[in-house]
Amino acid sequence: MRVLQVSSEMVPWVKTGGLADVAGALPAALARCGVELRALLPGYPVILQALRSTERIGRARLPWGDEVDVLGAEAHGSSARLYLIDAAWLYARAGSPYEDAQGHAFADNHRRFAALGWVARELACGLDPTWQPQVVHAHDWHAGLAPAYLAWSTAPHVRRPSVFTIHNLAYQGLFRAVHQAELGIPAHAWHLEGLEFHGQISYMKAGIVHADRLSTVSAGYAREIQTPEQGFGLDGLLRHHGHKLSGIRNGIDSGIWNPAHDDHLPSRYNPGQLTARATNHEALGLELGLAAHHEAPRCAIISRLHPHKGLGLVLEAAAPMLHQGAQLAILGRGEASIEQAFLELEQRHPDQVRVRLGFDEALAHRLLAGCDMLLMPSQFEPCGLTQMYAMRYGCLPLVHSVGGLADTVHPWDPHNPAATGCSGFAFATFHIGAFLEAWAQALACWAQPVQWAALQRTGMSLAFDWDEPARQYTRIYQQLGHAHG
Ligand code: ADP
Ligand code: GLC
């Protein structure tokens, strides 16, 4: 089975969040199921520079007339062969893949990501004479036009089926209707059941409507996005297309996230060696200037600093938590107001709070090994990878029970403290009182070291691997492959 993966991010090259982890892990996981996956990415300079050599595969003419070279490359550090769109005027920019250094979305994002969808279609139609995918798998709004361009293709013999995976419905890729013609959007697609969303072009909707199959990244989130509370205005559409929607939980890439083999850690450990965590705890304390003490848990936050991550609850709860002896180590970047609020907290409590603004992969690993808990009170969370990494590292998550967080964290119950299978703490209502209640439970557990260690061992042995999710994707590809001959 040959599959073309289309995404805007992929570990180890370009990462702003979990999408990159997933795109980077799928090639090897799917290879074990007999799927040959190749990945199409925008030709960001960081990727082009990291590749030893590239070859020119062909040239594509974009709907608005620009021509781009499509490059092929063997990728060191990934098992996937890559295709890249060589268009410096679209992708060679300072800032993130989506925004300039000041946090403003690039004004031509509609073109930058239409090019991604268009080249996916060209590859499906035979741009590379030596390799043609049987299925195109597009991820998130950035790749949402790929299923649409495929569906609008006028050449029936090259009609290739597509899968569209929603990683986060909150980001929809909305653009002004005036771009319709330059993007090659046919008139028949411009209506409520096409990609029009309240007078705008929606790349997310394009993917949802035109893909043959849909998936999202946990069973819980698959249910939630079909409700008005979590549907971001698309719940009706998603219910309508519910028959083609599956929830497939993300996995953990054990080659990268494994405390027994993690080169970023001062001291490596497995579930039978929990005492080795003390060395990591101490080293992290020295690195961050936090005392090594054990009155209350040392809590990590590793997160994009966006309102939906629910960190307002932590800011509200910080005073009582710190009073009880907790420490907070925050690694993140994002909205200026949230960054500022954490910096002010650090200024008020320099002995107990440490803030690192920025993106630091190595520090993320050390935090998981050197903190006792991870706080992840997201308002909504499609899957969430960080809580799974935390459990794997013996760092107990405290989460809001939604989406993938509810699906992956089985909370400890103080009324049944010896129950097996628990690996963290959770609260059901998104409210400060409920958060503090979960925190009180964590403190109660902390006071019982034998219980705490049992939760750590349970979390570390949970099999959040990619085997089962990869099998589920493979079944979808096979069904589509058969249906389309
Ligand atoms: P999301 O994709 O919504 O950001 P996930 O939990 O799925 O949430 O994935 C987040 C990923 O990004 C994890 O790999 C996490 O370790 C990483 N991450 C987030 N913020 C940072 C940061 N500031 N520095 C390093 N890694 C980060
Ligand atoms: C999104 C979601 C996150 C998920 C990740 C990978 O960024 O916010 O919950 O884990 O995609 O699927």
Side-chain angles (χ1 to χ4, degrees):
M1 175 62 67
R2 296 179 307 278
V3 175
L4 180 69
Q5 169 175 289
V6 192
S7 68
S8 162
E9 304 185 17
M10 187 171 174
V11 158
W13 301 287
V14 180
K15 168 167 169 177
T16 70
L19 166 65
D21 291 0
V22 173
L26 277 176
L30 288 166
R32 292 194 289 276
C33 297
V35 174
E36 188 201 347
L37 187 142
R38 296 191 178 188
L40 170 66
L41 289 156
Y44 300 119
V46 282
I47 309 181
L48 294 174
Q49 284 153 17
L51 297 172
R52 290 211 187 100
S53 65
T54 55
E55 58 169 321
R56 187 172 170 279
I57 300 290
R59 209 165 161 74
R61 191 179 162 81
L62 303 173
W64 56 93
D66 282 356
E67 294 206 1
V68 294
D69 278 334
V70 179
L71 309 177
E74 292 299 336
H76 179 69
S78 164
S79 51
R81 193 176 154 81
L82 300 185
Y83 292 108
L84 297 147
I85 306 169
D86 191 14
W89 68 98
L90 292 177
Y91 303 124
R93 309 266 170 96
S96 87
Y98 318 111
E99 301 170 338
D100 65 20
Q102 282 70 47
H104 303 300
F106 294 121
D108 57 350
N109 272 347
H110 61 292
R111 286 191 172 190
R112 299 173 72 235
F113 295 106
L116 186 64
W118 187 264
V119 172
R121 173 196 174 278
E122 293 293 279
L123 284 164
C125 293
L127 185 78
D128 181 348
T130 67
W131 192 86
Q132 279 155 43
Q134 292 157 288
V135 175
V136 172
H137 188 168
H139 293 268
D140 259 357
W141 74 261
H142 326 109
L145 283 188
Y149 284 138
L150 284 166
W152 301 330
S153 180
T154 45
H157 65 286
V158 292
R159 173 78 179 91
R160 289 280 179 271
S162 60
V163 184
F164 181 59
T165 296
I166 300 166
H167 292 263
N168 195 332
L169 199 61
Y171 303 98
Q172 299 190 353
L174 297 177
F175 301 102
R176 290 189 303 134
V178 292
H179 300 306
Q180 197 186 327
E182 68 183 280
L183 296 174
I185 297 173
H188 66 78
W190 185 249
H191 63 88
L192 201 62
E193 280 151 36
L195 51 55
E196 188 256 344
F197 186 66
H198 299 288
Q200 290 187 289
I201 301 165
S202 165
Y203 283 26
M204 179 62 89
K205 205 172 159 184
I208 293 171
V209 169
H210 294 99
D212 297 280
R213 295 289 293 269
L214 295 173
S215 75
T216 185
V217 287
S218 68
Y221 195 61
R223 286 190 300 274
E224 289 168 1
I225 55 176
Q226 298 184 60
T227 67
E229 294 75 28
Q230 295 242 34
F232 287 94
L234 292 172
D235 49 294
L237 183 81
L238 284 160
R239 284 195 300 278
H240 182 67
H241 289 276
H243 60 282
K244 60 180 188 183
L245 173 66
S246 320
I248 303 179
R249 162 188 67 67
N250 291 329
I252 292 184
D253 187 335
S254 298
I256 300 175
W257 301 96
N258 181 352
H261 303 283
D262 189 330
D263 291 337
H264 298 298
L265 305 189
S267 175
R268 291 183 268 285
Y269 57 98
N270 61 43
Q273 302 166 311
L274 277 176
T275 46
R277 289 191 98 249
T279 313
N280 294 300
H281 186 95
E282 203 176 320
L284 183 73
L286 283 175
E287 176 182 351
L288 298 181
L290 292 172
H293 81 149
H294 299 282
E295 279 169 57
R298 177 188 284 165
C299 302
I301 292 172
I302 305 165
S303 184
R304 294 185 293 115
L305 300 181
H306 283 269
H308 89 75
K309 292 293 182 182
L311 299 172
L313 289 184
V314 178
L315 287 161
E316 237 184 296
M321 289 174 72
L322 296 170
H323 185 70
Q324 287 160 321
Q327 294 180 338
L328 285 177
I330 297 120
L331 169 63
R333 68 173 178 196
E335 284 195 12
S337 61
I338 307 178
E339 293 186 350
Q340 192 53 36
F342 277 114
L343 287 176
E344 282 166 16
L345 187 70
E346 181 183 43
Q347 265 165 16
R348 284 199 299 278
H349 303 276
D351 296 336
Q352 285 173 280
V353 178
R354 196 59 71 243
V355 178
R356 289 282 184 268
L357 295 182
F359 197 91
D360 186 338
E361 183 84 19
L363 179 57
H365 289 244
R366 294 197 297 278
L367 284 169
L368 294 174
C371 292
D372 306 298
M373 290 179 68
L374 174 90
L375 306 180
M376 201 160 165
S378 312
Q379 221 162 348
F380 61 89
E381 195 60 73
C383 179
L385 292 164
T386 318
Q387 84 283 5
M388 291 195 272
Y389 300 152
M391 288 186 270
R392 177 69 49 95
Y393 280 68
C395 177
L396 302 186
L398 187 163
V399 302
H400 178 208
S401 288
V402 280
L405 297 175
D407 286 3
T408 55
V409 179
H410 189 57
W412 184 68
D413 177 1
H415 303 296
N416 189 7
T420 53
C422 308
S423 57
F425 309 94
F427 60 101
T429 321
F430 189 78
H431 183 264
I432 183 67
F435 177 91
L436 283 170
E437 173 62 24
W439 168 249
Q441 292 175 1
L443 283 185
C445 187
W446 181 252
Q448 308 171 56
V450 175
Q451 289 300 338
W452 189 275
L455 265 63
Q456 288 180 300
R457 277 193 296 272
T458 300
M460 290 181 76
S461 56
L462 290 172
F464 292 123
D465 53 44
W466 269 107
D467 294 348
E468 181 51 27
R471 273 196 289 274
Q472 292 175 282
Y473 283 122
T474 305
R475 268 197 294 277
I476 292 180
Y477 301 151
Q478 283 166 344
Q479 286 161 2
L480 287 176
H482 290 145
H484 290 75

